[in-house]
Amino acid sequence: MQVHLSALGCRLNEAELQNWATSFQKVGYSLAATPEVADLIVLNTCAVTSEAARKSRQTVRRFHRSNPEARMVVTGCYASLEPQKLEQIMGVDLVVDNSDKDVLVDKVKEVLDIPVMPEFATEPGESALFARNRERAFIKIQDGCRYRCTYCIVTVARGEEKSRTIDDLIDEINKLHAEGIQEIVLAGVHVGGYGSDIDSSLYQLVENVLERTEMPRIRFASVEPWDLGENFFELFANPRLMAHMHLPIQSGADSVLRRMSRRCRTEDFAELVNQARTQVAGFNVTTDVIVGFPGETDEEFEQTMQYIEQVGFGHIHIFTYSDREGTKAARLPNKISKEVKKERSRRLHELAARLKAQELEAQLGQNVPILWESSNQTNEDGSYRYHGYTPNYHKVAVDVPADKSPERLILSTQLLSVDEEQGCLIGEITDEIPAATVDASASIKITQL
């Protein structure tokens, strides 16, 4: 039996696919690279926006058209919020709520009654890794969120907070490292809330990861800024903790943050960023900003523009607000017109591009360790272009002869110039690059919205 695993949206969805891939392999499934050849399709949906929900429905229909004989299981946030709609779409055999994700494989075996080989008959092969970054694994450390930002539907879809034990996570990380993984990303709905239900904390988890594993590179998915204690950045004295965090601010106007029910104010956020940059050399902060939130005045938007420029960010994810049924924000008055939202988004994108360019320029001349990813880009001269990320998460490109490959290796690289068109750095690997080898492709599909 072959299973095709696919996800829309967030890093947590990616981490869940990783876990399911391992579980499906243990009970005898092999992984299918495409839905067309699969006996079973599992789609992990997203509902963070109305567009994400629409794309989830669209993907279900597309998968069914591509392989009408396959059984299809749909889970994720959209499946949890609107299961009845999904059940009515042709081709859907089973809808699994987020609360049952941990037993998804068992449910598939029980409800769909698809025959599989017993566990003892399977070989303990390498864990399935994501095709777009086989050297990196996303580790789901917790689920759910106890906060209720007014624009967020995900906390409604994911439910209460539930943390995995430190011992369980350490075992997973050590297993992945033994299989060649060089970098992990600690992911969750509310990463900073890790341990709230098991008398632990994110700080304690990171301490244990540093002490009890040899994973070379450790990163975080998005972390709410109010979750970081005063001594958190002391952890970064260990160079295995990468000097980058994604800390969402959402608005540079405190009045808007109050309407969003955000627990962080602009002054506190700026102080936190300053603390990180003071304690950790080259620390890169990236963020999220929502434009056009209900009631956002011209003055509030200008405050956001000034604040973003004052703080400075290596990258900004810009979201244009749209109502999401089931959230408090959808019921707020004074909606912003599409034209105004579009213009504000344009201006903020221009500012974000300028700030990113400044950050890239500041990296030039450094020699830094880069974890190189697989290449699918051939140059006219027959060489291959590889991409990787600096420890502080700036994208770097290098051109390597066809008979050499830096893939899945951490190699010292000189940062030479900025490719303004691609928005990345151009480097030159200064370590010896080994000969290229043939590697099997992975069989998990991730789509970023």
Side-chain angles (χ1 to χ4, degrees):
M1 299 293 294
Q2 292 194 75
V3 57
H4 175 72
L5 304 173
S6 188
L8 298 166
C10 68
R11 300 299 192 197
L12 183 58
N13 275 2
E14 299 184 24
E16 289 166 342
L17 255 63
Q18 177 73 56
N19 294 336
W20 295 333
T22 301
S23 297
F24 273 116
Q25 287 177 313
K26 284 182 178 179
V27 297
Y29 285 85
S30 61
L31 301 177
T34 64
E36 289 79 7
V37 299
D39 301 289
L40 172 67
I41 298 170
V42 178
L43 175 62
N44 206 2
T45 60
C46 180
V48 67
T49 63
S50 298
E51 173 61 18
R54 184 196 67 80
K55 193 164 187 176
S56 294
R57 295 189 297 270
Q58 182 184 60
T59 304
V60 169
R61 295 187 176 99
R62 176 166 57 83
F63 281 177
H64 178 63
R65 288 196 302 270
S66 70
N67 187 354
E69 300 302 319
R71 309 294 293 274
M72 191 183 308
V73 178
V74 185
T75 186
C77 289
Y78 179 69
S80 297
L81 291 169
E82 299 187 8
Q84 293 83 6
K85 286 188 178 181
L86 271 175
E87 289 168 351
Q88 294 171 7
I89 298 178
M90 184 176 295
V92 175
D93 295 286
L94 177 64
V95 177
V96 178
D97 189 270
N98 274 334
S99 62
D100 290 326
K101 276 185 167 181
D102 290 345
V103 293
L104 180 139
V105 177
D106 292 332
K107 277 189 166 293
V108 169
K109 291 162 56 183
E110 175 188 349
V111 178
L112 298 188
D113 193 28
I114 297 177
V116 296
M117 294 283 285
E119 184 173 351
F120 64 81
T122 65
E123 293 295 327
E126 179 178 312
S127 295
L129 303 175
F130 303 123
R132 69 181 183 87
N133 44 26
R134 290 177 294 169
E135 64 292 316
R136 180 182 301 116
F138 294 87
I139 309 296
K140 179 182 177 180
I141 65 172
Q142 65 84 235
D143 206 340
C145 182
R146 62 182 179 272
Y147 300 119
R148 294 293 182 266
C149 298
T150 58
Y151 55 82
C152 185
I153 195 67
V154 176
T155 54
V156 178
R158 289 278 181 174
E160 296 301 316
E161 293 185 10
K162 183 179 180 182
S163 304
R164 294 173 62 189
T165 67
I166 288 178
D167 286 346
D168 184 30
L169 291 166
I170 295 300
D171 287 345
E172 179 180 353
I173 293 168
N174 281 328
K175 181 175 183 294
L176 289 167
H177 185 226
E179 295 168 354
I181 292 296
Q182 299 276 47
E183 181 175 289
I184 57 167
V185 181
L186 304 180
V189 173
H190 180 204
V191 171
Y194 172 83
S196 64
D197 56 324
I198 59 172
D199 193 27
S200 186
S201 67
L202 183 62
Y203 189 101
Q204 292 178 29
L205 171 60
V206 175
E207 274 190 318
N208 275 266
V209 173
L210 293 172
E211 292 172 3
R212 299 168 58 189
T213 81
E214 296 181 0
M215 184 63 66
R217 293 160 71 104
I218 303 156
R219 296 190 184 276
F220 301 93
S222 181
V223 180
E224 296 297 351
W226 57 77
D227 287 317
L228 303 179
E230 290 185 6
N231 60 345
F232 189 83
F233 295 107
E234 294 175 0
L235 292 166
F236 288 84
N238 189 316
R240 292 162 56 206
L241 208 56
M242 300 293 97
H244 162 255
M245 292 193 79
H246 188 80
L247 305 173
I249 181 62
Q250 305 299 5
S251 175
D254 285 331
S255 51
V256 175
L257 293 176
R258 284 192 292 271
R259 294 200 296 276
M260 291 178 171
S261 292
R262 299 288 288 167
R263 296 171 60 84
C264 187
R265 297 297 171 256
T266 54
E267 182 179 356
D268 298 329
F269 185 91
E271 184 177 336
L272 182 73
V273 171
N274 181 64
Q275 181 184 355
R277 290 170 175 166
T278 300
Q279 294 188 28
V280 187
F283 197 90
N284 178 27
V285 178
T286 54
T287 197
D288 295 339
V289 177
I290 297 173
V291 298
F293 191 76
E296 183 185 58
T297 65
D298 290 340
E299 181 182 359
E300 288 170 331
F301 178 69
E302 294 303 329
Q303 288 178 29
T304 294
M305 292 288 288
Q306 293 169 16
Y307 183 79
I308 295 299
E309 182 154 25
Q310 169 196 335
V311 175
F313 296 96
H315 184 75
I316 304 174
H317 291 192
I318 300 168
F319 300 90
T320 300
Y321 175 82
S322 62
D323 282 336
R324 189 70 180 91
E325 186 179 349
T327 64
K328 290 183 179 180
R331 302 191 296 272
L332 291 176
N334 303 317
K335 306 297 186 189
I336 309 302
S337 69
K338 289 184 179 179
E339 293 75 16
V340 170
K341 288 191 288 189
K342 183 177 180 180
E343 174 61 15
R344 289 177 181 175
S345 177
R346 182 194 65 79
R347 288 183 56 197
L348 187 53
H349 271 94
E350 288 181 353
L351 174 58
R354 178 159 55 84
L355 293 175
K356 181 175 182 177
Q358 292 173 4
E359 287 288 319
L360 292 178
E361 288 286 344
Q363 311 305 308
L364 297 182
Q366 299 181 52
N367 195 298
V368 296
I370 305 289
L371 173 57
W372 293 103
E373 302 179 356
S374 57
S375 173
N376 58 3
Q377 182 179 345
T378 309
N379 299 318
E380 291 183 359
D381 63 0
S383 65
Y384 285 86
R385 171 151 287 197
Y386 289 84
H387 293 94
Y389 289 87
T390 64
N392 58 355
Y393 208 64
H394 292 295
K395 191 174 184 178
V396 185
V398 294
D399 294 324
V400 177
D403 62 342
K404 303 284 186 180
S405 173
E407 182 178 345
R408 300 180 75 174
L409 298 175
I410 299 173
L411 300 174
S412 292
T413 304
Q414 189 77 19
L415 305 179
L416 302 175
S417 62
V418 176
D419 185 330
E420 295 182 1
E421 183 177 345
Q422 297 299 319
C424 71
L425 294 157
I426 301 298
E428 179 180 354
I429 297 175
T430 55
D431 282 337
E432 183 177 353
I433 307 173
T437 58
V438 178
D439 196 2
S441 61
S443 304
I444 296 180
K445 169 70 173 163
I446 305 294
T447 302
Q448 292 296 322
L449 296 174

